[in-house]
Each structure stands twice: as C-alpha cells, then as structure tokens.
Amino acid sequence: MAPKILVIEDEEGIIHLLNLYLKDAGYEVIVAQDGADGLALHARENPDLVILDIMLPAIDGFEVCRRVRSWSQTPILMLTARSDVDDRINGLDLGADDYLVKPFSPRELVSRVRAILRRVNNIPEETGADTTSNPASGANSALSFPGLLIDLLARRVEVNGTEVALTPTEFDLLALLAQSPDRVFTREMLMNQVWGYDYLGDGHTIDVHISALRKKIEEGPEQRYIKTVWRVGYRFEVRARSAAS
Ligand code: CA
C-alpha cells in the first residue's frame, strides 16, 4: 500500500506542486487547507507523514504540530516561508522532524519525505540485503542500560521501566548515540547519519532535538546519558548507578 501523506497547506500553487511530485513518487496524498481541517484529517486518516505549513488560517502550523504531538508520533516535515531561525527552532522544539524553507525544490522535498519514511520504517539505506527475515538480526535489537531500555526494532524506549514517547528524530538520535557509547559524534555527523543525506541545516537543529530528547529521558543535568562535548558535539555515556553495587 502506498504511504499516505497529509499535506496541510493553504497556498494553491504549492498544493498543486506537492500533489504532482508526491503522487509521481508513488505516495497517496490527502490535503487540508487549514489547521483545523488538518487536525481532523490527521485523526481520521492516520497518515504516514505530515507536511505542515506554518502560516495557516484558523490554527497555525505550530499549534497543529503541538496538538498532533500530544497524541501521535507521526513524522512531521514543516514548511516555513520565513528563513527566521527562531521559527525553525520553534517547530523542531514542538516535535517536528525536519523543515524546509520556501521556496523549496519539489525534488528536495520528495527526497526528504523518502528519507524520513525510510528511517521511521527501519528500511536500510540502499543494501539489497533482506534483514527482516533473518532471526539472527534480532540479537542486537535491544540496548539495555541502567534505567534505560532502547528497543531498536520496535522503536520503543523505556526509562526506569516506563515507556516514553519519542519523535522519530529523537529516537534515531538516541539509537545512534547509544549504539556507540563514548564515541564522540559531531553535529554534522549526527545530521548526516540521522537524516540520511547531506543536511544543509545548522547545528541548532541537532541541539534542539537533543534538548527535547534529554527532557524525556533524563532526570537532570547530573543524570545525563547524553554528554555535550564542548564545541564538538555529543556522546552517549553509560550512566553508573548512583548506589554502588
Ligand atoms: Ca501558508
């Protein structure tokens, strides 16, 4: 079945363009022209991905993003007419997975949609190897640390035994860092590996996602799994239990 993309956008020209390119790339496209309609369609149609404009009538894109995130982890790609960094950070802060600044190239948009869906669905980049039917590949499917469990196949995370809901991007960042404890990742490495292409965004993007991730999995600065490596990037540190055993 073709993945279903919900486009929430009020500009006819852009709707037309997105319809054309996304359908041509094999996606099913449904369109809402304002935020309220977009939320209703999201609830009814359960799309695989949402393309969300920020400037919308009725309910703006930020608010739509906030509400969608309150009950769903559907990947969200935001469209912003402004090149204002604050706008982008605000969107990512609310749980969007990626953004594009208008005017964008439709091809670029399709490649980002593909990249997001690929990582959400755990599809390897380009190998023909069939990993899904290999039971041995399940051996390393979960990473277990004191107080933290990361199930790579089910894309589930538990903190102290309680499941926490991470956005697709937050999950991918955590999984990447935690699979190589103590290895230092630069922001550029994280962006390229998580997004799956040469990402043109700035380092703020990573910082915003890391900060959101920390709020969900860490109890405070003294209880960090993800350490900031000053001027370089981040690394995952296996946290020792506070009570020595
Ligand atoms: Ca608009």
Side-chain angles (χ1 to χ4, degrees):
M1 224 167 58
K4 193 189 291 178
I5 315 282
L6 168 60
V7 173
I8 310 178
E9 167 64 77
D10 59 326
E11 271 174 70
E12 295 284 356
I14 291 179
I15 294 172
H16 176 73
L17 205 63
L18 291 182
N19 244 317
L20 204 68
Y21 277 81
L22 289 170
K23 281 180 178 162
D24 189 54
Y27 299 112
E28 181 187 342
V29 181
I30 47 177
V31 178
Q33 300 205 40
D34 65 60
D37 192 24
L39 284 168
L41 260 186
H42 180 272
R44 199 168 68 224
E45 298 282 338
N46 190 27
D48 296 286
L49 183 141
V50 177
I51 294 175
L52 177 61
D53 184 31
I54 290 178
M55 302 294 282
L56 288 168
I59 302 174
D60 75 12
F62 293 130
E63 184 57 25
V64 170
C65 186
R66 195 193 328 265
R67 294 197 201 176
V68 165
R69 273 291 168 265
S70 70
W71 54 279
S72 145
Q73 300 304 321
T74 316
I76 297 174
L77 171 61
M78 275 203 154
L79 301 178
T80 164
R82 310 176 236 183
S83 55
D84 189 345
V85 171
D86 285 346
D87 258 14
R88 297 183 221 167
I89 298 209
N90 196 2
L92 296 171
D93 225 4
L94 293 171
D97 294 280
D98 198 357
Y99 61 83
L100 271 177
V101 178
K102 293 178 182 176
F104 54 85
S105 128
R107 278 176 215 278
E108 171 72 5
L109 178 125
V110 168
S111 82
R112 295 218 187 177
V113 165
R114 264 205 202 101
I116 296 173
L117 289 176
R118 194 191 296 125
R119 62 193 170 91
V120 169
N121 295 318
N122 269 326
I123 299 168
E125 187 96 11
E126 56 195 9
T127 75
D130 182 6
T131 50
T132 52
S133 63
N134 177 6
S137 68
N140 291 323
S141 69
L143 303 172
S144 184
F145 305 100
L148 180 69
L149 180 78
I150 307 168
D151 186 333
L152 298 172
L153 284 183
R155 298 178 67 87
R156 279 180 78 252
V157 171
E158 284 181 13
V159 175
N160 296 322
T162 305
E163 182 170 358
V164 291
L166 301 185
T167 68
T169 299
E170 289 159 7
F171 181 88
D172 288 334
L173 279 171
L174 177 62
L176 181 63
L177 289 164
Q179 281 178 90
S180 303
D182 295 329
R183 177 177 168 193
V184 176
F185 288 86
T186 65
R187 288 176 176 79
E188 193 181 17
M189 283 159 71
L190 290 171
M191 285 193 276
N192 290 343
Q193 292 198 39
V194 166
W195 274 268
Y197 49 83
D198 286 338
Y199 195 75
L200 298 173
D202 51 46
H204 285 306
T205 307
I206 287 293
D207 297 341
V208 173
H209 286 296
I210 292 281
S211 143
L213 175 59
R214 279 177 166 160
K215 279 183 207 147
K216 294 181 182 179
I217 65 164
E218 294 172 351
E219 284 137 32
E222 67 290 343
Q223 298 279 341
R224 290 245 133 107
Y225 290 107
I226 300 169
K227 302 280 183 184
T228 303
V229 183
W230 194 60
R231 285 196 164 168
V232 180
Y234 297 96
R235 71 184 168 85
F236 184 91
E237 185 173 279
V238 179
R239 211 170 76 186
R241 283 210 178 278
S242 41
S245 51

